[in-house]
Amino acid sequence: DVKVTQSSRYLVKRTGEKVFLECVQDMDHENMFWYRQDPGLGLRLIYFSYDVKMKEKGDIPEGYSVSREKKERFSLILESASTNQTSMYLCASSLTSGRTMGNGQFFGPGTRLTVL
Amino acid sequence: AQRVTQPEKLLSVFKGAPVELKCNYSYSGSPELFWYVQYSRQRLQLLLRHISRESIKGFTADLNKGETSFHLKKPFAQEEDSAMYYCALSYGQNFVFGPGTRLSVLP
């Protein structure tokens, strides 16, 4: 079974803080993704990565950055957290190339971030 | 921009009744379409994809290119089907999720 883990289930931060969300997958997947999930909006792609040290902007990258120094780890960084970044953050990984879902993506349990 | 719409935010049916979760997409080429499900307090997981034409947990979905739809169906809903369902479209190097439909199966 593919395991995608996220460092925290719940996180509370203050406005202006720098926030790190970590994601690790154990199946040697090339592709990793960060989404935010909001009611009524579905999942929106923030950033994705095809390979180590590679990253591509998704649909809503503003206010976020990412880091992929190792194949199994993909970090999402909120440089200066704001209240509108309060959300559920989902990490996913897949074997397929590019952004196609092909065989599907495997998701982590999510991190619920609250910015006060 | 390519879009996926799921017109119902909430769908409630009684146990044993048929259920259909609607999904429409806007894309003129050959799409890859998927249904994902998220049960309460569980992670999002792939339910089925149109390429494999499979039936998972009694659910099926047929791609109708003429109507640009990929509705999810089950003839007899079960209480354990209560969950959030997302339709997703993949095209070329891109993909997009719909807003989701919450299915509630009543006893």
Side-chain angles (χ1 to χ4, degrees):
Chain A
D1 251 3
V2 175
K3 280 288 174 60
V4 180
T5 57
Q6 296 182 227
S7 51
S8 306
R9 291 301 303 273
Y10 300 93
L11 209 52
V12 180
K13 295 292 181 180
R14 295 203 175 277
T15 300
E17 281 192 80
K18 190 169 186 176
V19 182
F20 293 87
L21 303 182
E22 305 285 339
C23 175
V24 177
Q25 50 92 6
D26 66 358
M27 285 300 290
D28 203 33
H29 284 177
E30 293 86 3
N31 308 316
M32 296 188 75
F33 309 80
W34 274 107
Y35 296 88
R36 60 179 286 176
Q37 182 182 29
D38 299 289
L41 297 177
L43 275 69
R44 293 180 291 168
L45 181 66
I46 304 172
Y47 267 97
F48 60 102
S49 169
Y50 295 140
D51 202 350
V52 176
K53 297 192 186 297
M54 294 183 67
K55 58 185 180 184
E56 296 282 345
K57 291 181 179 179
D59 301 314
I60 52 164
E62 296 79 19
Y64 304 95
S65 62
V66 290
S67 172
R68 190 152 181 218
E69 296 296 320
K70 293 185 178 182
K71 192 174 186 179
E72 67 271 18
R73 189 180 297 271
F74 192 36
S75 302
L76 179 69
I77 303 154
L78 286 66
E79 297 291 342
S80 178
S82 62
T83 54
N84 62 12
Q85 292 179 308
T86 292
S87 185
M88 173 69 85
Y89 289 88
L90 301 182
C91 176
S93 71
S94 75
L95 275 171
T96 54
S97 61
R99 291 172 70 182
T100 60
M101 293 160 71
N103 294 319
Q105 295 184 336
F106 294 86
F107 283 84
T111 296
R112 184 166 293 283
L113 172 67
T114 301
V115 182
L116 303 176
Chain B
Q2 314 310 324
R3 291 184 64 214
V4 175
T5 57
Q6 295 178 248
E8 302 124 338
K9 286 187 177 179
L10 174 66
L11 182 64
S12 295
V13 301
F14 286 102
K15 177 183 172 181
V19 62
E20 182 180 51
L21 299 170
K22 292 184 167 53
C23 171
N24 288 90
Y25 65 92
S26 60
Y27 180 63
S28 57
S30 295
E32 290 183 54
L33 285 149
F34 304 81
W35 277 99
Y36 275 76
V37 61
Q38 189 171 28
Y39 301 103
S40 179
R41 301 184 186 280
Q42 294 188 27
R43 64 185 68 196
L44 195 63
Q45 57 187 290
L46 179 65
L47 180 62
L48 56 78
R49 50 195 181 117
H50 89 272
I51 291 176
S52 53
R53 301 183 65 81
E54 57 205 341
S55 173
I56 303 292
K57 299 184 179 184
F59 284 98
T60 59
D62 291 320
L63 176 60
N64 185 323
K65 290 187 177 181
E67 296 183 358
T68 59
S69 68
F70 188 57
H71 303 327
L72 183 68
K73 300 177 184 179
K74 185 170 182 177
F76 307 103
Q78 303 298 315
E79 289 182 70
E80 56 265 29
D81 296 328
S82 295
M84 194 75 180
Y85 291 81
Y86 292 96
C87 182
L89 161 70
S90 174
Y91 57 100
Q93 296 288 310
N94 302 286
F95 57 83
V96 65
F97 283 85
T101 297
R102 182 169 297 283
L103 175 64
S104 178
V105 181
L106 308 171

